[in-house]
Amino acid sequence: MVTLQGETVYLRALEPEDLAFIYVIENDELIWEMSNTYTPYSKFLIRQYLENAHQDIYEAKQLRLAICKNNTLEAIGLIDLFEFDPKNRRAGVGIIIQHELNRQNGFGKEALGLVINFAFQKLQLHQLFANIGAENKASLALFATFGFERIGIKKDWNYINNSFQDEALFQLIKQ
């Protein structure tokens, strides 16, 4: 667990008790635009997901971890490795901190640093990628902090609030 332990936060596997937290996040329409979600999730579906969350990343091709403040079990956010491709040693990464009051104070930055270290050191990945809305200034700055490079723009990629918006593709290659 040391790999996933930081100074202010730690990352842990999902627990059945996270049902209500995940339900709120997955059904927050303000977040849907970032996750390309179009419909709400039921508690039943989330419960089924949690029952299968024990699957290894090599089996599930994804890993979702809860972000928790040190000395608590309560999740404040989620961080995901998705589209895990062990042959080509790459994965996508996404992060969400639920409440505004937990944003812009280093929790997300520390969590992203922990998952980058885990991906490169423990999973032996060669690269990570992230898809970030061009209007999402906080995420653009966060990923740039770790050396993610913008390698392209998908023009008019997402339809949000009655207008098309660009999405940037970022990549971090292990040196």
Side-chain angles (χ1 to χ4, degrees):
M1 174 85 168
V2 174
T3 306
L4 300 176
Q5 176 72 52
E7 290 182 29
T8 60
V9 299
Y10 69 97
L11 308 180
R12 65 164 172 78
L14 298 178
E15 300 287 350
E17 295 77 21
D18 293 321
L19 174 68
F21 176 74
I22 295 170
Y23 179 79
V24 169
I25 285 183
E26 293 292 358
N27 289 293
D28 183 345
E29 292 184 40
L30 298 174
I31 297 171
W32 285 1
E33 63 192 43
M34 290 179 248
S35 62
N36 289 323
T37 300
Y38 305 104
T39 58
Y41 283 90
S42 69
K43 286 184 180 178
F44 173 78
L45 286 176
I46 295 169
R47 189 175 292 111
Q48 283 185 316
Y49 170 77
L50 287 171
E51 287 172 3
N52 292 311
H54 66 279
Q55 288 182 321
D56 186 87
I57 189 171
Y58 290 91
E59 190 177 358
K61 304 297 184 221
Q62 68 176 13
L63 175 66
R64 176 171 269 189
L65 298 168
I67 303 167
C68 301
K69 292 180 187 177
N70 283 346
N71 302 317
T72 70
L73 290 175
E74 185 179 341
I76 62 167
L78 299 169
I79 192 161
D80 299 335
L81 291 173
F82 60 91
E83 295 181 26
F84 175 66
D85 181 347
K87 178 189 179 295
N88 294 300
R89 296 175 45 201
R90 66 176 171 241
V93 62
I95 184 170
I96 182 73
I97 301 293
Q98 182 186 23
H99 292 297
E100 283 286 329
L101 52 107
N102 285 321
R103 296 180 189 162
Q104 302 296 317
N105 56 21
F107 298 138
K109 181 178 180 181
E110 189 170 21
L112 183 57
L114 291 169
V115 92
I116 289 169
N117 183 55
F118 176 78
F120 288 154
Q121 301 304 316
K122 297 293 184 186
L123 298 176
Q124 296 295 301
L125 295 186
H126 174 65
Q127 63 181 285
L128 293 169
F129 67 89
N131 301 298
I132 305 170
E135 304 295 317
N136 189 341
K137 305 293 185 215
S139 286
L140 294 171
L142 173 63
F143 281 81
T145 298
F146 289 96
F148 278 79
E149 293 182 42
R150 189 175 88 177
I151 59 166
I153 289 284
K154 297 180 246 178
K155 296 285 186 185
D156 289 348
W157 197 254
N158 296 310
Y159 190 68
I160 300 168
N161 297 327
N162 297 317
S163 69
F164 286 98
Q165 295 182 12
D166 297 346
E167 183 174 272
L169 177 57
F170 283 80
Q171 189 177 34
L172 178 65
I173 298 176
K174 183 180 178 185
Q175 300 300 323

